[in-house]
Amino acid sequence: MRVLVTGGAGFIGSHVVEAFVDAGHDVRVLDALLPAVHPAGTVPRLPAGVEFLHGDVRDAAMVDRALRGVDAVCHQAAMVGLGVDVQDMPEYAGINGLGTAVLLAGMARADVGRLVLASSMVVYGEGRYECPVDGVVPAAARRRADLDDGRFEPPCPRCGRQLAWRTVPEDAPLDPRNTYAATKLDQEHLSAAWASSTGGGGVALRYHNVYGPHMPRDTPYSGVAAIFRSSLEAGRAPRVFEDGGQQRDFVHVTDVARANLAALTADPPDAALRACNVASGHPHTVGDMARALADAFGGPDPEVTGQYRIGDVRHVVAGPGRAAEELGFRAQVSFADGMRAFATDPLRPAP
């Protein structure tokens, strides 16, 4: 199969490209090499035989060129991270929203009907919660006053009791709570509209917390695992926000690449976009991750700060059953093995 991978020079995209090439697919990459992630003068690290186009998914002429002769698109290109502040909104909306719309319009012109979309668990907002009195309920928004006082658990919106987290299925209500999350959900909605209008089919892979070799380091948009690694390398303690009890599912980037390959080769739904969680199925707290990484690196010990970021959510833990059932995907890298390796994995240089 001839596949276009947008954002294929990025952290996750480059691993996806390698997985596709290893499986025998013919791969073309379109990547803008955004300066927020790629150092100036970066030469993409891509396997031999991969065609590279330096261009932006917002450029319709470049998209048309990239789509020539393509059988499927794997859309990884995006501006990632929570954002620094509200001033980031136009760039997030432009790259993630407009860029996806331009790509989908180009796919319709080129009659390309197969899509794998890189989505994210951030579309859920707060995860799934259960109250001992009121049952499954949406978590109330966390208030600054509570966070300032160290009360980090979201309360029941009906009775105010503390909630217990549960795994999030793909049909859970979607509730994006920051700029990045809103634009990732926008990508899903646009892709669903494309599928309905053209008869195409696609899979939206809702990545949970991805980590692994070649993560970008020391940028405002870096993932928490890379931030902790950079601190350890500098001899500083990893600084853990809140009380470290935030539940997440940390999934290795090679497993994410395998999920993309599984989605590419699965039969896509007709005239629809199907969402699948991509996760290990074995949750850990952010504090657990900081401790495991510090132990593997050889210290110093993590520091729990009590600080917080507006827009962060408390607990998001996936239910990975649909990906197993429909795509045949199950994560293979254990948390312990992955963190041991990540302690010495190469990171992408800071821009």
Side-chain angles (χ1 to χ4, degrees), residues 83-103:
V84 177
D85 57 35
V86 172
Q87 299 309 312
D88 280 336
M89 279 185 168
E91 193 166 13
Y92 274 97
I95 294 171
N96 298 354
L98 177 60
T100 299
V102 171
L103 175 67

Side-chain angles (χ1 to χ4, degrees), residues 113-131:
R114 181 185 288 256
L115 173 69
V116 179
L117 172 67
S119 187
S120 172
M121 56 92 171
V122 296
V123 300
Y124 297 118
E126 286 287 354
R128 189 168 188 259
Y129 292 88
E130 187 171 352
C131 172

Side-chain angles (χ1 to χ4, degrees), residues 6-69:
T6 69
F11 162 48
I12 296 175
S14 61
H15 287 275
V16 170
V17 168
E18 289 180 7
F20 286 1
V21 170
D22 289 346
H25 296 291
D26 186 7
V27 179
R28 177 184 293 153
V29 166
L30 175 64
D31 199 300
L33 302 180
L34 294 175
V37 178
H38 299 271
T42 294
V43 176
R45 184 185 64 91
L46 297 170
V50 172
E51 180 186 0
F52 176 72
L53 299 178
H54 183 195
D56 197 309
V57 289
R58 293 169 290 185
D59 181 340
M62 177 57 76
V63 165
D64 286 343
R65 177 183 169 192
L67 287 166
R68 288 175 193 154

Side-chain angles (χ1 to χ4, degrees), residues 37-39 215-219 347-351:
V37 178
H38 299 271
M215 281 189 84
R217 64 185 303 160
D218 300 331
T219 83
L347 299 183
R348 188 169 299 228

Side-chain angles (χ1 to χ4, degrees), residues 15 18-19 210-213 251-259 329 333:
H15 287 275
E18 289 180 7
V210 186
Y211 71 99
V251 57
H252 198 268
V253 69
T254 56
D255 281 327
V256 173
R258 290 179 48 253
F329 166 75
V333 180

